[in-house]
Amino acid sequence: MMKNAQDKVIMSDGRGIPCIGYGTWQTPDGETAKNCVKYALEAGYRHIDTAACYGNEVGVGEGIRASGVARGDIFLTTKHWVTERGYEKTIAAAEASMKALGVDYLDLYLIHWPCVARVSENWREINADTWRGFEKLYRDGKILSLGVSNFEPHHLAALDRFAEVKPVVNQIEFHPGYNQLTNVKYCQEIGMTVEAWSPLGCGKVLGDERIGAIAAKYGVSTAKLCIRYALQHGVVPLPKSVTPERISDNLDVFDFTISPEDMRELDALPSVGESGFHPDDAPAESYYD
Ligand code: A2P
């Protein structure tokens, strides 16, 4: 088991990824993003997760530079947005993200959402075309690891038929009350690393009494229990906070272990805090397309 947030999980391409990342979804750009990222790096995070569609890449990049932590010591992820599908647009989108972040390479680049049947009957080819752009960026040394987000096993299987460079990460919604364990297991069995977005259910699971009762047994906050829950599933959590005490506190999860019985209880919870964002079910004019 990991001993601190900088300990690395080894991905199937042989590279290491720090086992807890700092999430920035809904973190406003500008001073907030800058100060929070700087603070997170000072507190000990070495893994920062953003996305083009979060609109905060400029502030995130400023925070990295302001922290004084060397670029090479930081694992930086951003994501390709759904409006940029296709080979040429993908390459341009990655370049634009790197420019906004002020970096000349990315540690990890993710397809944010798969193209799905509801959007186009050619969804497989569209994802493959986007992936060719990813592979070009990888071969040019601009992106060190390639991955996807919000892919379900059938999206992964379709991509696998085309991919010459395999995705090493799938970042999905994962927390007690919505753990997508079938998808997690599938990914882990084929050697992919799973990352958890909204490991705290976007804050919505924190008031849940059942989760709170388990957290109380260990004398920890519900947030810490949720972060630990991801780690014990071999999943890399990406907790988001703009509050300094919480940013630090969310790293302090290495001095307790959730028992197998409590893990099973957390696994079996009915739906709590689920975002409702599902790749195949979204209406065509949805949040992601
Ligand atoms: P804030 O950013 O205002 O500190 P998730 O990572 O699942 O998306 O959850 C993020 C939400 O959880 C944010 O609203 C964040 O609030 C809140 N949050 C993050 N860490 C903690 C914590 N340790 N205790 C309570 N709330 C937290």
Side-chain angles (χ1 to χ4, degrees):
M1 203 32 168
M2 304 290 158
K3 294 200 172 54
N4 65 55
Q6 299 183 11
D7 273 2
K8 291 177 177 163
V9 172
I10 304 300
M11 302 181 289
S12 60
D13 60 4
R15 300 186 64 244
I17 181 169
C19 67
I20 297 180
Y22 176 63
T24 64
W25 181 39
Q26 296 178 329
T27 298
D29 199 16
E31 285 302 299
T32 307
K34 177 182 171 182
N35 293 335
C36 289
V37 167
K38 176 174 180 280
Y39 184 82
L41 289 164
E42 287 166 357
Y45 291 82
R46 288 294 178 271
H47 171 178
I48 309 287
D49 183 275
T50 183
C53 86
Y54 300 173
N56 59 17
E57 289 174 316
V58 170
V60 168
E62 285 172 354
I64 288 174
R65 285 185 293 284
S67 74
V69 178
R71 169 70 185 93
D73 293 336
I74 299 170
F75 189 100
L76 179 61
T77 302
T78 192
K79 311 185 193 81
H80 163 277
W81 190 234
V82 300
T83 49
E84 310 306 316
R85 291 177 175 138
Y87 180 76
E88 304 284 350
K89 281 170 90 179
T90 292
I91 292 170
E95 301 283 3
S97 280
M98 285 189 267
K99 191 163 174 225
L101 286 158
V103 298
D104 53 12
Y105 72 93
L106 297 170
D107 291 277
L108 178 65
Y109 196 44
L110 306 178
I111 295 187
H112 205 142
W113 290 92
C115 188
V116 297
R118 192 148 183 164
V119 174
S120 168
E121 63 182 24
N122 297 323
W123 63 274
R124 295 178 186 81
E125 291 72 22
I126 292 171
N127 288 331
D129 216 24
T130 301
W131 196 252
R132 282 200 305 122
F134 272 57
E135 290 174 334
K136 165 79 173 143
L137 291 154
Y138 176 84
R139 291 191 175 112
D140 288 348
K142 293 188 175 159
I143 300 176
L144 305 187
S145 295
L146 302 184
V148 297
S149 184
N150 303 302
F151 273 51
E152 290 176 351
H154 60 288
H155 307 124
L156 289 167
L159 186 64
D160 188 61
R161 292 183 34 229
F162 294 98
E164 291 173 8
V165 181
K166 302 299 181 192
V168 297
V169 161
N170 190 11
Q171 183 181 126
I172 59 175
E173 180 176 0
F174 175 95
H175 51 79
Y178 190 65
N179 53 27
Q180 306 198 72
L181 280 183
T182 306
N183 194 357
V184 170
K185 236 181 168 176
Y186 176 89
C187 290
Q188 292 179 337
E189 276 171 15
I190 61 171
M192 292 180 82
T193 299
V194 177
E195 295 181 333
W197 63 258
S198 287
L200 315 176
C202 223
K204 286 179 286 183
V205 305
L206 300 179
D208 185 87
E209 279 179 15
R210 292 155 302 186
I211 306 175
I214 296 175
K217 282 208 228 172
Y218 298 91
V220 298
S221 66
T222 313
K224 285 192 197 182
L225 186 86
C226 292
I227 294 166
R228 184 76 201 177
Y229 173 71
L231 290 172
Q232 286 187 218
H233 267 298
V235 169
V236 174
L238 308 168
K240 173 265 175 187
S241 174
V242 293
T243 314
E245 311 82 69
R246 291 174 176 174
I247 294 174
S248 320
D249 209 36
N250 291 345
L251 291 175
D252 181 20
V253 295
F254 296 92
D255 59 356
F256 69 102
T257 301
I258 307 170
S259 71
E261 304 78 63
D262 288 335
M263 285 296 285
R264 277 196 292 277
E265 194 171 333
L266 291 166
D267 284 346
L269 283 177
S271 175
V272 188
E274 178 181 343
S275 69
F277 295 169
H278 303 141
D280 281 327
D281 302 342
E285 286 152 36
S286 70
Y287 42 84
Y288 65 79
D289 207 73

